[in-house]
Amino acid sequence: MEHIPILKIGDCLLVSIQVDMHDRLAIALQNNLTEKIVITKARGVLIDISALEIVDSFIGRTLNNIASMANVLDAITVVVGMRPAVAITLVELGLNLPGVRTALDVDKGLVLIRNSIDDELGEIDAGELN
Amino acid sequence: MANAYISLPELISKNQTTLLHDWISLQRQTGAFNRRIKEEVLLEQSRGLLTELCSALQAGAPNDLKATEWSATRKILEEVSGTRTSLGFTPAETATFVFSLKEPIFNLLFAKTDSNVEKQQQEIWGINLLIDKLGLYTTEVAQSARENVIARQQQELIELSTPVVELWEGILALPLIGTLDSERTQVVMENLLERLVTSSAEFAIIDITGVPTVDTLVAQHLIKTVSAARLMGADCIISGIRPQIAQTIVHLGLELNVVSKATMADAFALALRRTGRSVEKRVASPKNGSL
């Protein structure tokens, strides 16, 4: 069975989906990723779907769920590289993925995660000073 | 009825010269032809149609014009229709080309003395039907050619009216002009999203100054475009909302849930600020003049 690798970069996890997603694979990814976030104490998760050509409502919902779960585990999730056709399909399906942050590519996604983490730390620092 | 015009090919092949002469002079009488179509073209097309009609009938072509035996005849008619449409003939004038063939043929038929009245009637009826079909086919071709032109122009209009402009590195603008229906929204959305990818832009300004009315449907289309852009990782700003449109939006109870600015300039300034840039006015020193 195919396996989607989860790579650790600093305090971020990078998931690059290079195969066509099917339902069981999506569930497996959800399980592996949540476990990995806890083990590695990751602060951010990047999901690269630039190679993903077909997205159905289930995969869309799973992506949203993964992002929400990662948020619960205190990791910021950014979905990057969505193709135009996939974006249009998701919108037509009525899935706007409200829980997901998005970026155009991995580069911009990393910057977004870095900024969010810095903002959080800044707020905490400011809170301690007061 | 299929055999009603059994004598027609014989009739045509025997009297082709007379028939052609009568037919062309009849066409000439109708006036409109002489001015626009060249004599040689008219002659060639008329002769071509007669020859093909004759050979198709001799090959025992069935009544149905779609049959393969008629393909050569159909080709001639398409050509006739094509030249005449491009010369500015009306569909009626184009169809007259075929219909005017009736009179010479009937004249020939009446001149024949060897047939009885009943047979002659049958033949006339059969020929009548056949020529009607040919004429209608010509009109049909002319019409479908026209429809193709309209469809092409519509497509061109759609493409022309939705340009995506790069205002700055990472900032795209999409000035929308005209009513947004679902077909146009699709094109707009695809264009915008493709450009977001190729220019890796983070901001898209959708300017709706040129959109005459915003109703629930248009708003829904706008929201769809904004959502799709957001899914790809780009932020959208809607600009150019006119006072009346702002009122309509509120009266209709629509929630756009997007950053909106009154003018494109405001939206551009916001996008610049969000991407960490700023525009400053240079203070010109009085000594150095303009620079």
Side-chain angles (χ1 to χ4, degrees), chain A residues 82-93:
Chain A
M82 189 182 291
R83 291 185 177 215
V86 173
I88 293 175
T89 313
L90 284 180
V91 171
E92 294 294 341
L93 285 173

Side-chain angles (χ1 to χ4, degrees), chain B residues 43-71:
Chain B
L43 190 68
E44 190 193 322
Q45 284 178 345
S46 305
R47 187 183 290 132
L49 181 63
L50 275 186
T51 320
E52 291 307 335
L53 185 64
C54 203
S55 57
L57 286 171
Q58 269 162 351
N63 254 342
D64 187 9
L65 268 192
K66 289 191 186 82
T68 42
E69 286 93 339
W70 287 111
S71 62

